[in-house]
Amino acid sequence: MRAMRFHEHGGPEVFRADEVPLPEPGPGQARVKLEAVGVNFIDIYHRMGTYKVALPFTPGQEGAGVVDALGAGVTGLRLGERVAYAFSGGAYAEYTLVPADKLVPVPDGVSSAFAAAVMLQGTTAHYLATDTFALGPGHTALIHAAAGGTGNLLVQMAKLRGARVIATASTEAKRALATAAGADAVLPYEDFDTATRALTLGAGVDVVYDSVGRDTFDRSLNCLRPRGVLALFGHASGTVSPVDPLTLMSKGSLYLTRPTLGNYLQTREELLRRAGDVLGWLGSGAVKARIDRSLPLSEAGAAQAALAGRATTGKVVLIP
Ligand code: NDP
């Protein structure tokens, strides 16, 4: 089978289309014939060596397709069943092995491309809105990069939960997408902290969801009410420098958390609940996912370059 791998860290050009043996599922594993693969920043961090991996390496943390073979001891799955998953490696390939307990069924009304598009970003938006800070009516959230994959889903889920949403995005076209997702006010990044204060009549927001990192972090802290929560869940613009705890005191006894999906998918029940909600909302139209572009698997490098280059609105999907 074909896999898009790299043998050294570097730019998008390090990808090679390698012919590798079809993997055989071990105990507890299923082999999935991939129909769509989601592209994520973590794949870029793996390629660049920001997160260390053993080489050669096949990136990719999410996908959707059909169950093609089962390892010993796997129950509750049948061959040919449509499934999706997130947070298991090796997705930039025609086939991949996934622990069976990470697979969730895909409802009939949801295509494999859309299932692959929401597994990682959708479950992330879900845990951020429901658990990192449990949004509800009366809350105001500031959500950065609201035309992005995770940000746009998070805006929609925050609105489903009855919160008021202030959003940021870099261009007029991206701000229009944030408005279409339901944001109550959408700001450019310039002076977003001053503008957020004004929009909340000086009070500040209950929570900031920050996936941009270096370029927004300090000003995000300025937007919070006393005892507000900064959920720093990504660093699309670069990583954030160490924080002096006294800064959190002086800006209002703030809470800072750096959540990551793995800690919010700790059990099979948790996975089924979050993925079930997300895929269910997608099927019913309560939440809409946006596929920015679908590219052949062989264009993995171009797909990553578009995401890293700030050129996307919504999800980038690879089709094996
Ligand atoms: P997006 O689709 O949101 O793309 C990133 C967006 O960030 C861009 O579209 C851009 O929107 C904004 N951005 C701001 N500054 C930059 C910059 N210098 N370079 C590139 N983009 C920039 O990506 P994702 O939703 O997939 O991921 C966003 C971040 O969240 C990543 O760091 C990712 O690793 C992280 N993440 C974390 C998870 C977790 O559980 N903690 C799970 C999923 C993702 P604009 O032009 O409007 O600013």
Side-chain angles (χ1 to χ4, degrees), residues 39-43 45 51 62 87 120-125 127-128 144-152 168-171 174-175 187 189 210-216 232-238 258-264 306-316:
V39 177
N40 290 288
F41 265 89
I42 190 168
D43 311 343
Y45 303 143
Y51 299 162
E62 70 181 334
F87 238 62
L120 200 147
Q121 294 174 340
T123 50
T124 296
Y127 83 70
L128 290 168
H144 289 308
T150 312
N152 202 259
T168 58
S170 63
T171 65
K174 287 185 176 185
R175 290 194 282 278
L187 306 168
Y189 290 101
D210 191 338
S211 64
V212 173
R214 186 170 57 205
D215 291 354
T216 48
L232 175 72
F233 70 96
H235 43 83
S237 68
R258 178 49 174 97
T260 188
L261 180 60
N263 297 124
Y264 287 87
L307 181 59
R310 218 169 174 168
T312 61
T313 51
K315 189 75 186 179
V316 181

Side-chain angles (χ1 to χ4, degrees), residues 45 50-51 144 210-221 230-244 247-248 256-258:
Y45 303 143
T50 315
Y51 299 162
H144 289 308
D210 191 338
S211 64
V212 173
R214 186 170 57 205
D215 291 354
T216 48
F217 180 80
D218 289 339
R219 290 181 291 153
S220 291
L221 289 174
L230 176 51
L232 175 72
F233 70 96
H235 43 83
S237 68
T239 50
V240 173
S241 303
V243 182
D244 180 350
T247 305
L248 303 177
L256 169 63
T257 179
R258 178 49 174 97

Side-chain angles (χ1 to χ4, degrees), residues 90-165:
Y92 285 26
E94 291 176 303
Y95 296 83
T96 193
L97 299 179
V98 183
D101 62 3
K102 291 199 170 193
L103 293 172
V104 300
V106 177
D108 284 343
V110 177
S111 70
S112 292
F114 276 100
V118 298
M119 280 304 291
L120 200 147
Q121 294 174 340
T123 50
T124 296
H126 187 283
Y127 83 70
L128 290 168
T130 60
D131 290 297
T132 304
F133 186 97
L135 287 170
H139 290 138
T140 302
L142 172 63
I143 299 174
H144 289 308
T150 312
N152 202 259
L153 293 167
L154 182 55
V155 170
Q156 296 178 63
M157 290 180 202
K159 291 310 296 177
L160 274 184
R161 294 178 66 84
R164 178 186 179 205
V165 173

